[in-house]
Amino acid sequence: MGRIILEQNKLIFQRRDELVVIEAYGNNCLRCRATRNSVLSDESWTLLPPKTIENCVVEGNNTLATITNGDIKAVIEAGYPWYGGVISFYRKDKVILKTKYEGDYVNKYVHTEGNHYTIKAIFEANEGEHFYGLGQETEDAFDRKGSTCNLVHYNTKSSLPFLYSSLGYGFFWNNPSPGRCDTTRNHTLWCSDSTYQADYLVFVGDKPADVMKTYSDLTGYAPQFPLWASGFWQCKLRYESQEELLEVAREYKRRQIPIDAIVIDYFHWTEQGEWKFNEKYWPDPKAMCKELEEMGIKPIVSIWPTINPNSENYEEMNDANMLVRTENGQYGTFAFYGQQTFIDPMNPETREFVWDKIRENYYKNGIRNFWLDEAEPEIHPQQFGHLHFYLGNGAQVALLYPYYYTKMIYDGLYEEGEQEIISLTRAAYPGSQKFGAAVWNGDIMSDWNALKQSVTSGLSMGMCGIPWWNSDIGGFLCGDTESEDFRELIVRWFQFGLFSPIMRLHGSRIRTKNQEERNPGIIERSGGPNEIWSFGEDNYEVIKNIIDTRERLRPYIMKYMDIASKTGSPLMRPMFYDYYNDDICYTLEDQYMFGEEILFAPIVQRGQIEREVYLPEGTWTCIIDKKQYEGKQTVKVHADINQYIAFVKEGSYVLDAFCL
């Protein structure tokens, strides 16, 4: 039988093979740590220090005790031998979470090596509960209830171990070890494959915005969003040379199409692990940046973390342990133009070394913004226990990689005096947002299913504290710009891009018949054309009008990006975020709010020109016919290919943006 010890702002529970501490951690929040080791670790990973604790009350005895911190309370029972240590969490005296007995409690701790264990935290399932979060992946599971999620990163999947519950609480699993989360009918289970201790935080609020603000207090807020980033970004795989890129930029300006950014994709470099332009194809990057600046276009350069022995930096970085190492065998963890390994940004020396190269070869030439590809990192085979990072074995810390990768660029730019910092990145971890991470959902297919899943990916990331998000407009893989299917898809995706936090066209398009071979023999030649005049004359006018509308929406977008930076509330948000008392809104995943004043219902099926839209409480104006509708009803709306379905809340000035 265990015993409970009461201390200021915390409860301690001890029994053979288990030590548990529950403590107040900021307002309306409790942190629980549990281990089979003799003492707890003070490691916080990406968790920030708590805000002031004002009203915590601890009471009880050595068999039953309660800790109350604002609107959240936890009760722990010492229980009986082999059964006990049950913890119940309450929101305003209503049970929201209760640990579940599933056999011998020691089975929650299965030894792996040293003082690390495979550790589980198991809770009773609540009937009717909905869960949202856990990052992004190509799954049809926006509401996570009834699903299982592996907590890993790979191309198209980014795991952020946080859930928002429809019962009004947030749950943050503070363990960067790969693992899994089950939110099934019989239990809610969190598991880390190899960790010193379980570490999780439960926090409550009256509405989703309250919970997200607390989550942002715990992990950080996005900085101020750059005004230029709210416009249109042009991108493709890839512009092979400086002159090709400038030709495209000049053509956009000649056609008077608003454009704020253009991306220089991978293999502009001399070698992987050499962060500099290949002078053969990019002879004068400083002059290029100057011309782009005069046109009002920001250049963005792709950075990869891969490196191999052919790199001029490999030997020095390898000898100084600045690279991801392997526990057994050779260095190679990714075969792409030879065996590659990855830099280790968890090592502060690595971050300083690589930034010095970036500053010398990019920043001094006028590049201020970067695209952090391969941010997971993309290892094959995906055996995390084989990797050795500065902070430990990959089985224990692998999920931290994108956090430190983005931090490397943020810290470098900040030290140079830059105030508006944004980095496009393919993966994230809780806290990445405070380094200006603008996440996209990876190399998805150019098909209708990927468009549909991109909608839920963006909403899910917003509910994980990542307000800066985007997808490749048109998808990434296998888009045929000459097919009717793709030409319909690209328009519908542009409509979704209009109502995304970032509007960025990208993709590896199928090369067209008789497409010019501009640089024969070049590594990773360009795909097919991907500028807005590449998808047919009719589509060109439609897409140009969408980009013009985005221009008019920018003050509105910036308003809500500023709110995100202050409160953690995302611009792209689920219907229940603002209408949390409407049960129907918890079931909607194919329409969403874009700020508080615009409701957008994307079309995500080929040939579809009509769909149903649920309108919550209030009066709403359809932007297509300017007809007003009262809320609390479902309406059917017709939208031809040159139209999209959005409603504006009564009284909002933003309706004018759609009236030209």
Side-chain angles (χ1 to χ4, degrees):
M1 182 172 176
R3 62 173 183 150
I4 301 170
I5 302 170
L6 285 68
E7 294 188 0
Q8 184 177 6
N9 294 335
K10 72 171 64 172
L11 295 175
I12 302 170
F13 174 68
Q14 286 181 313
R15 59 181 165 181
R16 177 182 170 87
D17 291 326
E18 187 171 45
L19 170 64
V20 179
V21 172
I22 309 170
E23 59 192 322
Y25 204 89
N27 296 322
N28 299 320
C29 178
L30 294 173
R31 183 185 186 186
C32 180
R33 289 175 289 166
T35 186
R36 195 172 175 180
N37 292 299
S38 300
V39 296
L40 288 171
S41 167
D42 290 329
E43 176 63 68
S44 292
W45 304 116
T46 66
L47 182 67
L48 297 175
K51 293 200 169 184
T52 304
I53 301 165
E54 298 175 349
N55 53 354
C56 180
V57 177
V58 175
E59 52 192 352
N61 52 48
N62 64 357
T63 61
L64 180 70
T66 299
I67 179 169
T68 304
N69 184 24
D71 290 337
I72 190 169
K73 176 175 72 175
V75 177
I76 186 166
E77 309 166 41
Y80 305 97
W82 308 112
Y83 177 79
V86 174
I87 307 170
S88 300
F89 293 90
Y90 295 78
R91 172 179 173 260
K92 294 184 176 180
D93 295 322
K94 181 179 180 180
V95 175
I96 53 173
L97 201 62
K98 183 177 182 179
T99 56
K100 183 179 182 182
Y101 174 74
E102 288 194 359
D104 190 338
Y105 67 86
V106 179
N107 290 337
K108 295 184 295 183
Y109 308 93
V110 178
H111 187 250
T112 54
E113 52 86 21
N115 55 9
H116 287 77
Y117 298 81
T118 296
I119 295 182
K120 292 180 283 189
I122 311 170
F123 304 92
E124 299 278 0
N126 293 314
E127 186 175 352
E129 186 172 18
H130 303 279
F131 289 114
Y132 308 92
L134 294 179
Q136 63 182 11
E137 59 184 322
T138 52
E139 293 279 359
D140 295 316
F142 175 54
D143 182 349
R144 296 285 186 169
K145 183 65 175 180
S147 68
T148 294
C149 178
N150 289 322
L151 300 177
V152 295
H153 302 312
Y154 55 77
N155 189 352
T156 73
K157 180 178 174 72
S158 188
S159 291
L160 286 83
F162 169 76
L163 282 173
Y164 173 78
S165 164
S166 59
L167 297 182
Y169 70 90
F171 188 103
F172 174 32
W173 181 248
N174 186 33
N175 289 276
S177 161
R180 81 177 197 275
C181 175
D182 301 342
T183 48
T184 50
R185 290 174 57 193
N186 60 314
H187 66 209
T188 296
L189 180 148
W190 294 83
C191 177
S192 284
D193 290 344
S194 181
T195 189
Y196 182 88
Q197 63 191 19
D199 185 354
Y200 60 88
L201 296 96
V202 185
F203 38 98
V204 301
D206 290 334
K207 53 186 181 295
D210 296 336
V211 174
M212 293 309 298
K213 188 175 190 311
T214 299
Y215 178 67
S216 298
D217 288 342
L218 296 172
T219 62
Y221 292 83
Q224 183 178 2
F225 191 68
L227 175 61
W228 66 263
S230 65
F232 170 61
W233 299 27
Q234 171 62 40
C235 186
K236 67 172 284 187
L237 188 152
R238 70 183 177 96
Y239 297 117
E240 295 177 0
S241 68
Q242 174 178 323
E243 187 54 34
E244 183 184 2
L245 180 117
L246 287 172
E247 286 173 7
V248 170
R250 293 167 189 148
E251 183 63 15
Y252 269 98
K253 301 306 288 187
R254 187 190 71 79
R255 292 173 180 253
Q256 297 183 313
I257 301 167
I259 176 175
D260 283 84
I262 193 164
V263 178
I264 302 167
D265 205 343
Y266 70 169
F267 285 89
H268 64 269
W269 48 64
T270 48
E271 176 59 77
Q272 292 181 75
E274 292 179 1
W275 298 280
K276 61 184 180 181
F277 286 105
N278 185 332
E279 293 182 357
K280 179 179 179 181
Y281 304 105
W282 307 84
D284 195 346
K286 183 170 288 188
M288 173 188 68
C289 291
K290 185 174 185 298
E291 182 175 347
L292 290 171
E293 181 182 359
E294 291 169 351
M295 289 189 279
I297 301 173
K298 301 287 186 183
I300 301 172
V301 164
S302 173
I303 298 289
W304 273 36
T306 49
I307 188 170
N308 65 72
N310 294 324
S311 166
E312 63 188 13
N313 300 309
Y314 182 86
E315 185 173 346
E316 181 177 357
M317 295 189 74
N318 187 49
D319 286 345
N321 291 320
M322 288 190 274
L323 306 179
V324 176
R325 289 163 281 158
T326 54
E327 298 290 12
N328 299 286
Q330 292 296 310
Y331 68 92
T333 55
F334 179 43
F336 195 66
Y337 292 96
Q339 283 292 323
Q340 310 291 327
T341 189
F342 291 83
I343 65 169
D344 183 0
M346 297 183 202
N347 185 341
E349 188 178 354
T350 304
R351 298 197 296 271
E352 183 177 348
F353 180 93
V354 175
W355 172 252
D356 284 344
K357 301 297 180 183
I358 292 170
R359 178 179 56 204
E360 188 66 30
N361 298 318
Y362 296 126
Y363 185 84
K364 288 185 177 180
N365 284 315
I367 305 293
R368 299 290 183 270
N369 303 284
F370 299 92
W371 175 4
L372 307 183
D373 212 338
E374 296 289 316
E376 298 85 17
E378 187 177 359
I379 61 165
H380 299 289
Q382 199 171 39
Q383 301 292 326
F384 298 107
H386 181 52
L387 305 179
H388 191 94
F389 296 93
Y390 176 81
L391 293 178
N393 181 271
Q396 292 137 27
V397 301
L399 297 186
L400 290 171
Y401 194 92
Y403 176 90
Y404 284 100
Y405 189 25
T406 311
K407 175 178 169 60
M408 176 180 74
I409 298 298
Y410 180 88
D411 288 350
L413 287 167
Y414 189 81
E415 288 173 9
E416 293 296 327
E418 299 296 328
Q419 296 299 309
E420 294 186 336
I421 301 172
I422 180 170
S423 294
L424 189 63
T425 179
R426 205 170 72 182
Y429 189 74
S432 292
Q433 68 272 10
K434 66 178 179 283
F435 301 132
V439 186
W440 94 99
N441 56 336
D443 297 346
I444 55 178
M445 296 299 296
S446 292
D447 62 28
W448 292 93
N449 192 49
L451 170 57
K452 176 174 175 280
Q453 292 174 341
S454 292
V455 175
T456 53
S457 286
L459 293 172
S460 181
M461 288 297 273
M463 291 305 296
C464 289
I466 305 291
W468 301 1
W469 182 89
N470 64 119
S471 65
D472 294 345
I473 291 178
F476 181 74
L477 291 168
C478 304
D480 181 356
T481 60
E482 297 178 313
S483 76
E484 290 305 312
D485 176 58
F486 181 82
R487 289 187 172 190
E488 181 183 352
L489 175 71
I490 194 74
V491 172
R492 293 305 190 190
W493 213 311
F494 254 105
Q495 294 166 358
F496 171 54
L498 172 61
F499 297 101
S500 293
I502 293 171
M503 185 185 200
R504 182 181 58 89
L505 173 62
H506 185 50
S508 177
R509 308 300 181 222
I510 296 171
R511 289 177 67 89
T512 57
K513 184 183 289 187
N514 302 321
Q515 182 172 332
E516 179 186 4
E517 196 75 64
R518 296 181 68 124
N519 299 286
I522 195 171
I523 296 177
E524 287 296 298
R525 68 177 183 167
S526 174
N530 196 47
E531 295 69 40
I532 73 165
W533 51 84
S534 307
F535 315 122
E537 201 57 42
D538 291 341
N539 277 359
Y540 170 70
E541 293 299 331
V542 174
I543 293 170
K544 186 178 184 303
N545 286 336
I546 292 171
I547 295 174
D548 288 338
T549 303
R550 179 77 177 196
E551 281 295 294
R552 298 191 293 272
L553 280 177
R554 289 174 74 172
Y556 176 85
I557 291 168
M558 291 303 297
K559 170 186 172 181
Y560 282 97
M561 284 302 198
D562 287 345
I563 290 172
S565 296
K566 294 181 177 71
T567 69
S569 288
L571 167 62
M572 182 180 176
R573 55 183 69 169
M575 293 299 302
F576 66 78
Y577 197 86
D578 296 305
Y579 300 95
Y580 45 88
N581 290 322
D582 189 333
D583 290 342
I584 294 175
C585 287
Y586 288 92
T587 68
L588 301 173
E589 57 185 51
D590 63 347
Q591 63 177 73
Y592 60 89
M593 297 301 296
F594 194 62
E596 294 180 8
E597 301 156 59
I598 298 174
L599 187 163
F600 176 57
I603 287 179
V604 296
Q605 295 179 24
R606 185 181 183 185
Q608 184 180 13
I609 55 172
E610 199 171 66
R611 62 157 291 174
E612 292 186 340
V613 183
Y614 176 75
L615 302 177
E617 183 180 13
T619 302
W620 301 86
T621 300
C622 177
I623 67 163
I624 295 175
D625 57 11
K626 307 304 182 291
K627 182 179 177 182
Q628 282 195 334
Y629 297 83
E630 290 305 313
K632 304 290 284 187
Q633 66 166 318
T634 297
V635 298
K636 186 171 285 189
V637 185
H638 182 95
D640 292 324
I641 189 66
N642 62 337
Q643 299 172 313
Y644 46 86
I645 301 171
F647 290 81
V648 174
K649 199 172 184 179
E650 185 180 34
S652 174
Y653 71 90
V654 78
L655 182 62
D656 295 340
F658 303 102
C659 291
L660 297 181

